[in-house]
Amino acid sequence: MEPIAWVGDRVRILDQTLLPHQERHLELRDHRQVAEAIRALRVRGAPLIGIAAAYGLALAALHAPTKDMDAFLAFLEDAAEELRATRPTAVNLSWAVKRLLGKARACTTPHEAQLVVVAEAQALHHQQTEDDLGLARQGALLLPEGAAVLTHCNTGALATGGYGTALGIVKAAWEMGRISHVYLTETRPLLQGARLTAWELTRHGIPCTLVVDGAVGLLLARGLAQAVVVGADRIARSGDVANKIGTYVLAVLAKEHGVPFIVAAPTSTIDLSCPQGAAIPIEERSPEEVRTVMGLPVAPPGVEALNPAFDITPAHLVTAIVTERGVAYPPYGESLPALMSLPEVSHG
Ligand code: MRU
């Protein structure tokens, strides 16, 4: 399963809007096509849209004017703006764009910058793959022995381009024999759980049960799951977590039923410049996604609908935050800055 790949002068993506029924790849030739793919959720998941934006900027570098550095950088900055504007919540996107722009600005000629930007985008993709593995192994050890686990949305290989974050933990724990079962929510409105997580889990032969989002209360009240594991799109300095709409409900229920609520994310998802959850921009998507299921109308045409794509889980509901650099525990205002000051994990 390769959700994204750099193929010379193009970016190849698996169009996730068609899964699980069709496995169709698209070849994107410029940063505008990459921006469209991110906006339409053909590529999605916080780490993967960071990688996609990096490759989008690499394509922009290949198409930028090379007569002088000023013109080259102006083109690159316009492309960066267009990519940044696609989806506001996941900080991985702006983090990746900033990292590549910094590399380009440090170059002396456009030709040097083209090579450097392409290499950096590839390095970022490689780093994500390695980080996922480290994160998964550490997170798996936090799960109660023999537990059934509940997860939300899709946080697997399709969301990171590597092994996955929360679903990476689930996969590692399954391989270690630590967990017995996985419950997954369908994740309305776009069904990332039903379409993507169920697809990944069945391909890995991990026993799983799909439930509608509204079933999670009953599931936890009956004691069917002993841990909740989710990903994140942005984590504020306070430890407040932005993730797929419905995550907050899960966290409140986990607290109510005394079940650990574990968040898994690479450090590129932690935004220390953002003091708390209230400062995280929440993407509002088209109400049409709520009025329809896979394009079929399910509500009276034009009925008012609200479609926030993410919600904020307050830090006090989060048991632990697992990253590639280690596990953070409350108080997050202290543990997250300490974790971020550790050196990057080197995979050389
Ligand atoms: O709208 P999506 O599908 O991009 O939302 C994805 C999520 O909310 C994931 O939980 C999050 O990005 C973490 S992915 C490792």
Side-chain angles (χ1 to χ4, degrees):
M1 183 191 315
E2 204 177 30
I4 199 161
W6 177 256
V7 283
D9 58 353
R10 278 154 294 145
V11 181
R12 208 163 78 106
I13 61 155
L14 178 60
D15 185 348
Q16 298 191 27
T17 61
L18 303 176
L19 289 172
H21 305 300
Q22 271 186 65
E23 285 179 47
R24 190 190 298 163
H25 287 88
L26 299 174
E27 297 218 332
L28 311 177
R29 292 166 190 277
D30 59 39
H31 72 272
R32 289 195 182 90
Q33 291 183 349
V34 174
E36 187 282 333
I38 297 173
R39 256 191 308 268
L41 270 62
R42 301 185 201 287
V43 280
R44 33 80 34 216
L48 192 68
I49 60 178
I51 294 164
Y55 282 144
L57 213 58
L59 289 178
L62 296 184
H63 295 136
T66 50
K67 93 179 145 22
D68 61 61
M69 229 14 217
D70 285 347
F72 177 85
L73 284 176
F75 185 92
L76 215 59
E77 271 156 26
D78 281 351
E81 204 35 58
E82 192 169 336
L83 289 161
R84 258 196 299 256
T86 52
R87 298 196 73 192
T89 304
V91 72
N92 307 62
L93 202 160
S94 47
W95 170 86
V97 165
K98 188 175 165 195
R99 181 164 149 169
L100 263 68
L101 276 180
K103 292 279 178 185
R105 287 193 194 109
C107 293
T108 46
T109 69
H111 290 297
E112 179 198 357
Q114 284 177 323
L115 294 176
V116 165
V117 169
V118 171
E120 188 64 12
Q122 289 174 303
L124 198 140
H125 187 177
H126 178 69
Q127 184 187 331
Q128 180 62 45
T129 309
E130 297 288 313
D131 288 351
D132 277 4
L133 289 171
L135 181 159
R137 281 191 212 104
Q138 298 182 69
L141 298 174
L142 297 183
L143 298 179
E145 199 84 51
V149 174
L150 172 59
T151 190
H152 186 52
C153 196
N154 173 266
T155 58
L158 288 170
T160 72
Y163 189 66
T165 57
L167 208 64
I169 291 178
V170 165
K171 288 193 288 185
W174 174 254
E175 277 157 26
M176 291 175 188
R178 277 189 83 84
I179 59 166
S180 56
H181 200 80
V182 183
Y183 289 96
L184 63 139
T185 56
E186 60 175 354
T187 320
R188 272 283 283 150
L190 297 179
L191 303 171
Q192 289 92 331
R195 296 188 303 106
L196 310 177
T197 303
W199 187 68
E200 287 199 39
L201 287 171
T202 47
R203 279 169 70 117
H204 286 281
I206 301 177
C208 61
T209 303
L210 176 66
V211 293
V212 296
D213 297 345
V216 290
L218 184 82
L219 207 94
L220 289 171
R222 286 190 174 164
L224 292 175
Q226 292 78 43
V228 178
V229 191
V230 297
D233 287 82
R234 189 184 302 224
I235 301 173
R237 176 181 275 264
S238 61
D240 295 345
V241 173
N243 191 47
K244 180 53 58 193
I245 191 79
T247 303
Y248 176 36
V249 173
L250 269 177
V252 172
L253 285 164
K255 181 88 164 181
E256 171 72 11
H257 296 288
V259 163
F261 182 85
I262 296 165
V263 173
T267 49
S268 52
T269 303
I270 297 171
D271 183 2
L272 291 184
S273 73
C274 183
Q276 58 214 7
I280 299 177
I282 299 290
E283 177 184 1
E284 289 274 347
R285 295 186 63 83
S286 163
E288 223 25 49
E289 293 178 352
V290 178
R291 288 191 288 256
T292 56
V293 176
M294 299 304 291
L296 290 178
V298 290
V303 69
E304 196 177 305
L306 193 63
N307 190 12
F310 302 96
D311 60 24
I312 306 291
T313 298
H316 69 90
L317 298 176
V318 178
T319 310
I321 298 175
V322 187
T323 77
E324 77 282 4
R325 293 190 205 172
V327 182
Y329 294 98
Y332 295 111
E334 290 168 21
S335 58
L336 289 178
L339 196 80
M340 295 299 278
S341 68
L342 295 174
E344 266 186 32
V345 180
S346 160
H347 306 291

